[in-house]
Amino acid sequence: MSATALIRELRGELDEAGLRGSFLVRDLSTGGELGIEPDLEFPTASLVKIPLAIATLERVRAGELDGAEQILVEPGRSTVRGHTGLTKFRHPVRVSVEDLLYLSTCLSDNTATDVLFDLTPPARVAASLRAFGLRGVTVRHTIRDLGDTPANRLDPDEVHLAHLLAIGEGTAGRGHRIAQLDATRASSGSARAFTDLMEALWRPSAIDAEVAARVRELMGDNLLRHRLAPEFTSDASRWSSKTGSLLNLRHEVGVVEHDGGQAFAVAVLTESRVPAFQQPGAEALMARVARSLRDHLRAR
């Protein structure tokens, strides 16, 4: 099947499932790539935890922060339901800066992330990306701001109402009545922008080599493996990634490294037209579409 025919077929499957997405797969050895609307921007939710990790580790490397410093984290910092890690703690705890990075990146712990944002605010994280020549990913707010959506004010059995609002209030220009879903106001990026970021972490770039290596290690230890991991993990490959989720948005970006030496950056950002929180079918389809693009690129 030609690349054009494959993309047409995959677009049809996504549309039938109520999904629209920005997909891109890039061979990190040859630069060859294949995607679906790779330049379409989305609010990025927890994907901002990757730039935050880079900026924090760069400040540790420069001596501006002490990675071993113990930070007192009080309970109740986050009011967002359903998350893991410090967000669920009931008592004060001291955690080092480096361990906060682990919690933020590998468990997607929102409380740990906001403690790190207190040290390195969003504007400084965004400036760090620009300094490395990475301009397609914006970082505009904390996770605390991200979580203040209609879903957080509704009872669990009413969350579908927030999804209906998320689905119905967008504009053709990627604006939205819900600020966190407005690509012009929220932290945002495209599949291409995050693929560029993955390449900068996995290949020599302006990012310090030790900083990049630690971010790769953190992404390799990601515990959230329900989305793309089933299609990219095997005994002969390693999948390193970060997920992002908010209302009807489901994202994941990462790199699959094969024992033979090939490595592919994969970025998938999607929005659903289905007003439901749990959508395992959408998760599986996202992964299968990404895998199909990678398989076609690999066979060239």
Side-chain angles (χ1 to χ4, degrees), residues 183-251:
T184 67
R185 291 184 287 168
S187 298
S188 63
S190 65
R192 187 178 305 282
F194 275 95
T195 299
D196 290 344
L197 180 55
M198 295 301 99
E199 184 167 1
L201 288 169
W202 260 261
R203 294 292 183 262
S205 72
I207 300 174
D208 178 78
E210 290 187 4
V211 169
R214 179 55 180 151
V215 176
R216 294 196 301 270
E217 183 179 16
L218 288 168
M219 292 177 64
D221 288 339
N222 177 24
L223 295 181
L224 302 180
R225 306 184 70 79
H226 63 293
R227 195 160 284 167
L228 302 190
E231 291 288 351
F232 289 107
T233 302
S234 74
D235 288 348
S237 64
R238 175 177 174 80
W239 174 244
S240 305
S241 71
K242 180 74 193 76
T243 59
S245 308
L246 179 69
L247 292 173
N248 65 327
L249 303 179
R250 289 170 178 80
H251 310 324

Side-chain angles (χ1 to χ4, degrees), residues 156-172:
D157 60 353
E158 296 179 321
V159 169
H160 68 283
L161 299 176
H163 284 259
L164 285 170
L165 182 62
I167 293 164
E169 296 297 327
T171 70

